Amino acid sequence: AHGEGHEEAPKNNKSLSSGLVIPKETQFLFDVFTKEVLRGDFTGNTKFFGTVIPSSNGQALLSIPQNGKIVSVNVAVGNKVRKGQQLGIAELSVDAGAMVNLLAEKNNSEAEYLAAKDNYDRLISIKDIAAQKDVSEAKARFEKAAANRKLFNSTNGRLYIITAPIDGIVGNFNAVIGTSVAADETIFTVTDLSKVYVEAQVFDKDLDALKTGSSFTIQCANDDHKSGQVKLLSYAQSINPTNQSQRVFFEMDNPDGDFAPVVHHDFLEGL
């Protein structure tokens, strides 16, 4: 650009021009550089502020069916647990009404033990022709029934084993051995963050951008890393009464746990 000549600026101030004339001396003085303008595609984006929350099946709140006290704690805060893993044991307080239920459970435990034993003994007697898979399943059923029967008989059914219903991470809890707990009081929380939801706040002025958006990404408000694509689950089904924004839910895979339910907000970019 510096080597090119320039025409003098029009002397008539009233004339209009689509060009801009910058004298060569001015370019050198202010380090003005020029570049050829090319035609290209432009993609806009709109930001929606939101909050990461657990998915529908991503959080379990564990309690006991009636009042009791904690007699064993087998996990610590932050532990990764598997579905079915024992988290703790509570001793239930038994009243007259509960005793009837316990007797029924005891009868069920005894019946399951006898049925499992008969089936296992039958398959063992014909193991030469029985499928190995059937024998293994019968053995596992029998051993589980025997363990449940032994536990029930030794405690009169007053011990309640608290197990994790999902894979996940144990959240903060205050239960220690000897703690009294009420029925339906949350004792442990297990959260699976492999898939999370994002509840975004969308105002009326941004609804068109949301509906015409072809893709969405999520970015932490206090960090630079981004996730991959997030999926729009549904348009607004409810309104936030505090600021009249509409609640829109997105879903995203979160295998590394980069995004967790926290107090600070994140934002979505709609492209």
Side-chain angles (χ1 to χ4, degrees), residues 164-200:
I166 59 173
D167 297 343
I169 298 175
V170 178
N172 185 41
F173 63 87
N174 299 317
V176 295
I177 295 177
T179 301
S180 296
V181 290
D184 299 326
E185 175 184 346
T186 299
I187 302 173
F188 298 107
T189 302
V190 178
T191 305
D192 178 11
L193 297 179
S194 61
K195 181 172 291 185
V196 295
Y197 291 162
V198 181
E199 180 184 328

Side-chain angles (χ1 to χ4, degrees), residues 1-6 22-34:
H2 296 168
E4 297 177 0
H6 296 277
I22 303 177
K24 186 183 301 183
E25 295 79 4
T26 304
Q27 295 182 35
F28 281 113
L29 180 63
F30 293 100
D31 291 329
V32 176
F33 298 93
T34 59

Side-chain angles (χ1 to χ4, degrees), residues 26-262:
T26 304
Q27 295 182 35
F28 281 113
L29 180 63
F30 293 100
D31 291 329
V32 176
F33 298 93
T34 59
K35 184 176 180 181
E36 183 180 0
V37 178
L38 302 176
R39 181 183 296 274
D41 295 328
F42 174 75
T43 302
N45 65 72
T46 303
K47 294 181 180 179
F48 310 114
F49 285 87
T51 304
V52 176
I53 60 177
S55 63
S56 300
N57 299 318
Q59 189 172 67
L61 307 179
L62 306 178
S63 59
I64 57 178
Q66 59 195 65
N67 297 345
K69 66 177 181 179
I70 303 297
V71 297
S72 176
V73 177
N74 307 109
V75 292
V77 175
N79 284 170
K80 292 184 178 180
V81 295
R82 305 293 295 178
K83 180 179 179 180
Q85 181 174 334
Q86 180 175 306
L87 308 183
I89 301 177
E91 182 179 359
L92 304 180
S93 300
V94 181
D95 54 23
M99 183 60 71
V100 174
N101 293 332
L102 289 176
L103 290 176
E105 289 294 331
K106 182 178 181 180
N107 292 335
N108 291 337
S109 175
E110 187 69 22
E112 170 62 16
Y113 169 77
L114 294 175
K117 184 176 184 302
D118 289 344
N119 185 50
Y120 181 55
D121 290 343
R122 181 182 64 82
L123 289 174
I124 288 296
S125 66
I126 58 171
K127 62 180 181 180
D128 293 339
I129 60 175
Q132 184 60 39
K133 178 182 178 182
D134 293 339
V135 175
S136 298
E137 291 178 350
K139 181 181 179 181
R141 178 190 175 191
F142 172 65
E143 290 177 347
K144 181 179 180 180
N148 290 340
R149 177 175 178 261
K150 180 180 179 181
L151 178 63
F152 207 102
N153 291 337
S154 63
T155 63
N156 291 323
R158 296 179 62 181
L159 292 187
Y160 185 87
I161 301 176
I162 306 171
T163 58
I166 59 173
D167 297 343
I169 298 175
V170 178
N172 185 41
F173 63 87
N174 299 317
V176 295
I177 295 177
T179 301
S180 296
V181 290
D184 299 326
E185 175 184 346
T186 299
I187 302 173
F188 298 107
T189 302
V190 178
T191 305
D192 178 11
L193 297 179
S194 61
K195 181 172 291 185
V196 295
Y197 291 162
V198 181
E199 180 184 328
Q201 302 180 50
V202 181
F203 294 91
D204 289 342
K205 64 183 181 64
D206 296 322
L207 283 178
D208 289 340
L210 175 69
K211 294 179 179 179
T212 58
S214 59
S215 64
F216 302 90
T217 59
I218 181 173
Q219 180 182 10
C220 285
N222 59 354
D223 201 346
D224 292 332
H225 73 272
K226 290 185 178 181
S227 76
Q229 296 294 316
V230 293
K231 176 184 177 182
L232 175 64
L233 288 181
S234 66
Y235 294 114
Q237 301 295 317
S238 61
I239 295 179
N240 187 334
T242 304
N243 56 14
Q244 298 302 305
S245 64
Q246 300 187 39
R247 292 171 172 169
V248 180
F249 288 91
F250 296 81
E251 180 184 68
M252 65 172 292
D253 291 328
N254 188 39
D256 298 325
D258 292 335
F259 294 87
V262 287

